[in-house]
Amino acid sequence: MTQKRIIVLTGAGVSAESGISTFRDSGGLWEKFDVSEVATPQAWAKNQALVLEFYNQRRKQLYEVEPNKAHYALVALEEKYDVHIITQNIDDLHERAGSKNVMHLHGELKKVRSSVDENLVYDLDGWELKKGETCEKGSQLRPHIVWFGEAVPMIPFAAELCATADIFLIIGTSLNVYPAAGLVAYRPPRCMVYLIDPADVAISHIPGIKIIRQKAGKGTSDLVKELLNNA
Ligand code: OAD
């Protein structure tokens, strides 16, 4: 029997219980930092040192945290479903938990890339990317992050995947950032959609969605148990 396919769209909230800050909650990263000063091509042009330091701190923190119950519950879901995770997160906690299929929409913190050729991507050793570290073409290496104002190269692949969903699960995202927030629109008709988030996320564009107003750890574990029982 072929397994049903579950597409999971995750955001910063899935990693919150691991100790990684979200962006737009009170106390979130975009309250402490001006997004235009650290996460745009203009910021990179203006002050490379500041941008490098911002992402170095994020990367350093990533080495100090672990996946949480929500990440592990999504791994358990693979026992009976064909699970594909599309994450907006730049951490590697889904991979470290053991999820097999993970697509990163907004890049990956542990990778760096050439600032003149986006196809030259490298794994970074350790947490610190320094000024003066260059790609094979001699240009400064930059964080492998999709900044605001840049294209999201994975979107066509993600949209294609969403069109194959039997069940769509959204976890821990404010759905503020497009095109990621619009991916759910590619689901087939009759695909069941769940949202797990403790806050009141704007989801009026997703009719029939089942809302689970809980933190990711508990909400995901409970839903995964239910889905495994129903499989
Ligand atoms: P946001 O910070 O916008 O939203 C985080 C969501 O997580 C909110 O809806 C919170 O209610 C929810 N949340 C908080 N704690 C939670 C918990 N314990 N369990 C479950 N949910 C929880 O983050 P994203 O929607 O991921 O992009 O932001 C999208 C993009 O904007 C990011 O990928 C990043 C950011 O700017 C770039 O930097 C390119």
Side-chain angles (χ1 to χ4, degrees), residues 105-137:
L105 288 178
H106 293 160
E108 293 174 69
L109 209 37
K110 288 187 175 171
K111 293 185 176 168
V112 295
R113 71 167 170 88
S114 161
S115 45
V116 293
D117 181 348
E118 66 186 55
N119 297 314
L120 293 177
V121 177
Y122 311 86
D123 291 323
L124 182 67
D125 251 351
W127 62 270
E128 194 175 19
L129 175 58
K130 297 195 184 88
K131 215 158 155 52
E133 289 189 78
T134 55
C135 74
E136 64 216 58
K137 291 187 176 171

Side-chain angles (χ1 to χ4, degrees), residues 11-13 16-17 22-25 30 88 106 146 148 172-174 177 197-199 201 215-216:
E17 286 159 271
T22 60
F23 296 94
R24 296 174 184 80
D25 289 309
W30 295 153
Q88 298 166 87
H106 293 160
V146 175
F148 286 92
T173 170
S174 61
V177 175
D197 196 297
V201 176
K215 289 187 175 178

